[in-house]
Amino acid sequence: MSLSIFLLWLVCIPLSVHPLPAPRGFQLNCGASEDITHGNLKYIPDKGFISVGNKSAIKTADVLPLLSTLRFFPDTSAKKYCYVLPVIKGGKYLVRTTYYYGGYDGGKEPPVFDQIIQGTKWSTVNTTEDYANGMSSYYEIIVASLAKTLSVCLARNVHTTSSPFISALEIEYLGNSVYNSTDFSKYALVTVARDNFGADEEIIGKTSENILETSDGECVKTIEPSFPDDQFNRLWQPFIDQNPVVECQNNISSSEFWNFPPQRAFASAITTSRGKTIKIQWPPVSLPSTKYYIALYFQDNRTPSPYSWRVFSVSINGQNFYKDLNVTANGVTVYGSEWPLSGQTEITLTPGNNIPVGPVINAGEIYHILPLGGRTRTRDVMAMEHLARRFVNPPSDWSGDPCLPPENSWTGVKCSQDKLARVVALNLTSMGISGSLPSSLANLTAVTHIWLGGNKLSGSIPNLSTLKELRTLHLENNKLEGTIPQSLGQLGQLHELFLQNNNLDGRVPDSLRNKKGLNIQVSPGNHHSS
């Protein structure tokens, strides 16, 4: 999906911040150094939500302030680049990413790369066509948070030839009743289209007019967005085809409708004359063969009266979607929670017998139902996040889900391929890491190999007696102090223990000295006694 980028079109883009306290929503201006405000709307810099990447400014004249900066990610060794935002665990969120390349790096075409949310590959970002047409691009997904933080990541793929980038990131908390026919513990909804039929504005959003005085004394009227009509900051694009367009005469209340569509989504409609059938090619793109969530919104456009109603049937690609739908001036929503589509989609509205007016349709939403790509065990995630905080200079991709997607797991981290992924190995040998080993390392109960040799780790070795699967432990060539824990001798699978060249002291525990099949190295470089 695309957006116009220039000041002329500010009326079309509801740059918004929902007036709810964090963690219910955030609007981030990526790469910015200060807040930007349009009317009463504000985006904040992304500092504090991501620890990697570089900032850059866009030099294109008259570009929207929101698109005038970006964050790009030149580190080719990182498997992903993640924003992490505080959220309500189990809360349902609309996530929107916005991209405008602007030739920031001197190139002619924007890069192609992947988006990942909570460990699931969400989509491939390809803004080439939009950018060639002078447009920005945005992507949306509706997802339930798995924890108290939500990660949104970018990642290189085989088609990536330059640095991935991002212009803006927004998350908006949705009510529990919105799109609640979807099982968000198993699926997410990826926006395909959200259109207002018969509208001529690019995107629904309230606007405010301001008179500005230029440096040469002239007065110029600018149109800027204020708070959007849609309470969840959803963007509604216009859709017009060859069918007649009408304006609707009755104001409706958003709260009376399933999914709370904004009032202005009912301001116009596509219709036809008495006895005729409406055929609409919507959305106007060919769709991959899969299942979709579809919601359609209808309202009789006439002034409310006992006669302002009409009956017609709705079909999609020849399959009955709703038979004999009675549409009044109060409006109605019809939805399908898992509807199979493939290729071009045709919606047909067929009038009932002897109905004095033709069918009518005001708006529609369609979402690709995306199966989630599994989960990493919560205790493993928390242990790895704690380890990342205790390390100084960990790998730059140590953010987001440590295991998923499998091809984008953290550097040096190997995980199981089970439905509930587990961390099974750590290998950060000679990576220049300092800091200390937290006791929470013992929560990685599926780990079989820990190789942290050749770094600058200090402090003591924690109690690791819960790591019953641990086979090799390499902590050599660090700055560890204290005694060698007796608990290491309780690890029945341990057959290799390298501790040389540290500052350890005391005796080697008998449980280790007498352990059969154990290759233990404690010399040189420690202060142990026999």
Side-chain angles (χ1 to χ4, degrees):
M1 286 171 280
S2 58
L3 297 172
S4 298
I5 63 173
F6 298 108
L7 184 62
L8 175 64
W9 296 105
L10 278 171
V11 64
C12 304
I13 303 179
L15 306 179
S16 73
V17 60
H18 201 287
L20 295 173
R24 299 179 71 91
F26 292 94
Q27 281 69 37
L28 304 183
N29 185 13
C30 301
S33 299
E34 56 187 13
D35 298 350
I36 61 169
T37 302
H38 296 278
N40 62 345
L41 307 177
K42 182 172 70 175
Y43 281 69
I44 63 175
D46 59 351
K47 181 180 179 181
F49 299 95
I50 192 166
S51 59
V52 297
N54 300 334
K55 301 177 181 180
S56 182
I58 300 300
K59 297 180 176 59
T60 304
D62 298 326
V63 70
L64 282 171
L66 179 62
L67 306 177
S68 64
T69 63
L70 57 78
R71 183 175 293 272
F72 68 99
F73 305 95
D75 183 1
T76 58
S77 66
K79 295 183 179 181
K80 56 189 172 188
Y81 321 95
C82 295
Y83 285 85
V84 178
L85 303 102
V87 292
I88 300 170
K89 183 177 181 180
K92 192 185 307 174
Y93 289 86
L94 170 69
V95 179
R96 181 185 302 121
T97 54
T98 301
Y99 302 93
Y100 178 62
Y101 173 56
Y104 79 92
D105 58 356
K108 295 182 178 180
E109 289 189 358
V112 176
F113 49 91
D114 291 336
Q115 294 185 119
I116 299 166
I117 188 161
Q118 297 190 127
T120 294
K121 181 182 175 182
W122 158 16
S123 66
T124 295
V125 176
N126 188 343
T127 65
T128 304
E129 183 177 351
D130 285 340
Y131 179 64
N133 292 324
M135 310 285 281
S136 64
S137 307
Y138 71 92
Y139 296 76
E140 289 182 351
I141 190 169
I142 298 172
V143 65
S145 60
L146 302 177
K148 294 181 180 180
T149 60
L150 185 147
S151 64
V152 181
C153 311
L154 309 182
R156 296 170 183 263
N157 59 33
V158 295
H159 304 292
T160 307
T161 57
S162 58
S163 299
F165 71 96
I166 184 170
S167 302
L169 170 60
E170 304 164 73
I171 67 168
E172 194 77 26
Y173 181 79
L174 303 178
N176 291 332
S177 63
V178 182
Y179 312 110
N180 65 359
S181 63
T182 299
D183 183 354
F184 284 96
S185 68
K186 298 179 180 178
Y187 304 99
L189 296 179
V190 178
T191 305
V192 175
R194 187 186 300 112
D195 289 355
N196 178 202
F197 297 133
D200 57 4
E201 291 184 354
E202 186 172 359
I203 295 173
I204 291 177
K206 293 181 180 178
T207 61
S208 60
E209 293 186 357
N210 297 306
I211 304 298
L212 302 179
E213 185 173 346
T214 64
S215 58
D216 56 6
E218 294 184 5
C219 290
V220 177
K221 182 171 71 173
T222 64
I223 302 176
E224 296 185 340
S226 59
F227 194 78
D229 290 329
D230 191 305
Q231 63 176 305
F232 300 123
N233 194 17
R234 292 169 296 190
L235 307 182
W236 297 75
Q237 300 278 4
F239 179 87
I240 296 179
D241 61 4
Q242 73 284 356
N243 290 295
V245 173
V246 293
E247 294 184 359
C248 296
Q249 306 302 315
N250 185 36
N251 292 329
I252 57 91
S253 172
S254 175
S255 62
E256 299 297 322
F257 286 82
W258 201 262
N259 297 336
F260 303 100
Q263 182 177 341
R264 285 186 63 189
F266 293 88
S268 62
I270 288 174
T271 189
T272 190
S273 55
R274 176 179 180 176
K276 290 187 177 181
T277 295
I278 297 179
K279 293 183 181 294
I280 304 171
Q281 304 293 326
W282 180 83
V285 293
S286 181
L287 299 179
S289 180
T290 187
K291 291 183 178 180
Y292 295 82
Y293 176 98
I294 304 172
L296 303 176
Y297 304 94
F298 308 89
Q299 181 194 26
D300 191 295
N301 63 289
R302 297 170 293 177
T303 301
S305 75
Y307 305 101
S308 56
W309 57 272
R310 61 190 78 195
V311 175
F312 52 88
S313 295
V314 182
S315 63
I316 299 179
N317 292 342
Q319 301 296 314
N320 179 57
F321 192 71
Y322 199 99
K323 186 174 178 61
D324 296 332
L325 178 65
N326 188 350
V327 175
T328 70
N330 292 324
V332 66
T333 302
V334 177
Y335 75 92
S337 56
E338 294 186 22
W339 196 266
L341 295 175
S342 179
Q344 296 294 328
T345 304
E346 182 177 76
I347 298 175
T348 303
L349 310 180
T350 304
N353 294 329
N354 301 317
I355 300 300
V357 288
V360 65
I361 184 170
N362 299 76
E365 296 180 89
I366 182 167
Y367 298 88
H368 167 214
I369 301 174
L370 177 68
L372 299 179
R375 292 183 59 185
T376 301
R377 188 183 187 215
T378 301
R379 200 173 186 188
D380 284 25
V381 173
M382 294 176 65
M384 291 302 299
E385 289 176 343
H386 193 199
L387 188 63
R389 290 193 295 270
R390 292 289 291 271
F391 280 173
V392 177
N393 193 35
S396 61
D397 55 15
W398 271 41
S399 186
D401 193 296
C403 292
L404 299 172
E407 63 272 23
N408 302 105
S409 62
W410 291 5
T411 293
V413 178
K414 182 179 179 181
C415 301
S416 69
Q417 300 299 308
D418 303 325
K419 185 175 181 181
L420 196 63
R422 301 295 309 276
V423 175
V424 296
L426 298 177
N427 186 355
L428 299 175
T429 303
S430 300
M431 295 196 68
I433 296 170
S434 57
S436 60
L437 298 177
S439 60
S440 57
L441 186 63
N443 292 333
L444 299 175
T445 53
V447 72
T448 58
H449 304 281
I450 298 177
W451 289 20
L452 301 175
N455 288 293
K456 301 175 184 178
L457 298 172
S458 57
S460 60
I461 301 173
N463 184 340
L464 303 178
S465 59
T466 57
L467 304 186
K468 302 301 183 182
E469 303 299 322
L470 188 63
R471 300 175 188 177
T472 63
L473 177 60
H474 284 213
L475 300 175
E476 73 277 8
N477 301 317
N478 279 287
K479 299 179 180 180
L480 297 170
E481 301 173 338
T483 60
I484 300 174
Q486 293 190 18
S487 58
L488 294 178
Q490 303 173 19
L491 304 180
Q493 301 294 323
L494 188 66
H495 63 79
E496 191 169 275
L497 177 60
F498 287 6
L499 300 174
Q500 67 270 29
N501 293 317
N502 280 286
N503 297 315
L504 299 170
D505 53 31
R507 296 182 74 252
V508 176
D510 291 341
S511 58
L512 290 172
R513 291 164 60 93
N514 301 328
K515 185 175 178 60
K516 293 183 178 180
L518 176 63
N519 177 12
I520 180 171
Q521 302 287 334
V522 295
S523 296
N526 289 303
H527 309 290
H528 62 277
S529 59
S530 58

